[in-house]
Amino acid sequence: MDDKKTIIGGGFFRPEEKVFIDKISDILLKAQSMYTPQATDFLNLREQTILNNLINKYDDLYVHYFGGYNNAERVRGIIAPDYFVPKESDYDIAMYEIRYPEKFANLHHGQILGSLTGSGIERDRFGDIITDGESWQFFVFDSMSEYVEGQVKKIGPYKIHLMKKDFKDLLLPKDESTDETISVQSLRLDTIIADVYDLSRQNAKALVDHGKVQINWVVNKNASSFITITDTLSVRGFGRIRINDIMGRSRNQKYLLSVNIIKK
């Protein structure tokens, strides 16, 4: 479990993030006024950054994170006074392993994600979906266990069975991403996509215009949107880009970015 109270980056907020900011602000005020711990939904990296920025306005509050395992990408936060030290059980997280006909089926992340959301489970109610290359596990609100077990019976065309597992049975996640340093002319969405996937700016812009690009899991059709630290870009048919750091400018005034890339 991690404690975080430092600003990681991304010091500006987008208009579409206002709903989340208002929701977190209400939780912060509730934790301060009632002086009791308050739990968040599962948060992506950008949402964690926003929370880390907002909580720095409160000298007496801290946020603790846990997503079911160390270094989880999607985590639940517990916002609490400084005296409170949460236990794993306080996060209300269950881990499920997916049993499926491995000889005939080849599951992938998108199928599992689609089956979970298609079963009526909101995206902020479940966390990471992980694999070791063969088996799959995912994390979800423990309080939703009965619902999940009753609703998730198939993934794609395959019948599956969900097994609730202890955290000690965690798979060793297979990381197919690479960390790279890239230089880009600007921090525009289409510029970064074009550079990472070796596309023309016109083709990158077309992907955005046609709704095939998400920023932090929200479709964004504005190719000129500016990207910041901890943003995650999902490009349908190409993969995912996470902005780890903006390291300044090169001698020719290009932006130097540290990125984590998954290519399909």
Side-chain angles (χ1 to χ4, degrees):
M1 293 178 287
D2 298 321
D3 299 349
K4 297 181 183 176
K5 204 186 177 185
T6 56
I7 299 176
I8 296 178
F12 77 91
F13 303 132
R14 299 185 176 90
E16 62 267 25
E17 294 172 334
K18 185 178 184 301
V19 172
F20 175 77
I21 292 168
D22 289 345
K23 183 177 180 179
I24 288 296
S25 296
D26 287 344
I27 294 175
L28 287 165
L29 287 172
K30 189 174 181 180
Q32 184 185 53
S33 61
M34 298 180 64
Y35 212 61
T36 56
Q38 304 293 323
T40 72
D41 295 329
F42 278 100
L43 308 178
N44 63 42
L45 291 171
R46 175 61 181 168
E47 291 167 339
Q48 294 167 49
T49 299
I50 293 173
L51 173 51
N52 291 337
N53 275 272
L54 294 177
I55 203 168
N56 276 276
K57 300 175 183 178
Y58 297 83
D59 292 334
D60 54 344
L61 293 181
Y62 289 80
V63 58
H64 310 265
Y65 290 123
F66 184 57
Y69 65 105
N70 290 334
N71 300 316
E73 185 173 290
R74 294 179 60 83
V75 296
R76 296 197 73 183
I78 291 182
I79 299 166
D82 54 10
Y83 71 85
F84 183 77
V85 179
K87 306 182 296 294
E88 283 187 358
S89 58
D90 293 322
Y91 291 90
D92 184 42
I93 296 175
M95 183 177 80
Y96 279 97
E97 187 162 309
I98 303 169
R99 298 291 174 85
Y100 66 101
E102 298 180 21
K103 290 184 178 180
F104 310 103
N106 184 20
L107 299 187
H108 56 79
H109 186 280
Q111 277 182 320
I112 299 168
L113 177 63
S115 293
L116 292 174
T117 55
S119 298
I121 306 168
E122 298 291 338
R123 186 63 184 98
D124 56 14
R125 296 296 193 269
F126 62 95
D128 286 359
I129 300 168
I130 62 174
T131 182
D132 61 0
E134 294 182 0
S135 300
W136 290 86
Q137 294 175 339
F138 66 90
F139 301 85
V140 67
F141 281 13
D142 193 24
S143 54
M144 293 187 65
S145 293
E146 186 175 339
Y147 179 86
V148 171
E149 292 172 15
Q151 294 295 317
V152 183
K153 301 290 190 180
K154 292 182 68 177
I155 293 177
Y158 308 111
K159 291 183 178 180
I160 59 99
H161 179 66
L162 297 180
M163 294 286 294
K164 196 177 214 180
K165 307 285 282 189
D166 293 331
F167 293 143
K168 63 180 177 61
D169 298 319
L170 177 79
L171 299 174
L172 182 62
K174 182 180 180 181
D175 187 358
E176 296 181 336
S177 65
T178 59
D179 289 320
E180 299 181 20
T181 298
I182 63 172
S183 61
V184 291
Q185 197 67 47
S186 79
L187 298 177
R188 283 173 50 119
L189 177 60
D190 55 354
T191 300
I192 294 172
I193 292 171
D195 187 274
V196 169
Y197 294 114
D198 195 24
L199 302 171
S200 68
R201 275 278 298 279
Q202 183 178 1
N203 286 340
K205 184 177 183 301
L207 288 171
V208 179
D209 292 343
H210 288 89
K212 295 185 178 181
V213 175
Q214 297 179 341
I215 300 179
N216 302 318
W217 296 273
V218 177
V219 173
N220 186 299
K221 293 186 177 182
N222 182 5
S224 63
S225 294
F226 283 96
I227 301 309
T228 190
I229 299 171
T230 70
D231 275 343
T232 298
L233 316 180
S234 303
V235 187
R236 192 187 309 166
F238 288 86
R240 196 181 74 173
I241 309 161
R242 185 176 70 228
I243 312 300
N244 291 331
D245 195 11
I246 300 173
M247 302 181 294
R249 296 205 186 208
S250 64
R251 290 183 179 180
N252 59 0
Q253 294 304 300
K254 287 189 174 183
Y255 289 96
L256 293 174
L257 306 183
S258 170
V259 296
N260 179 267
I261 300 172
I262 297 177
K263 294 183 179 180
K264 289 190 174 180

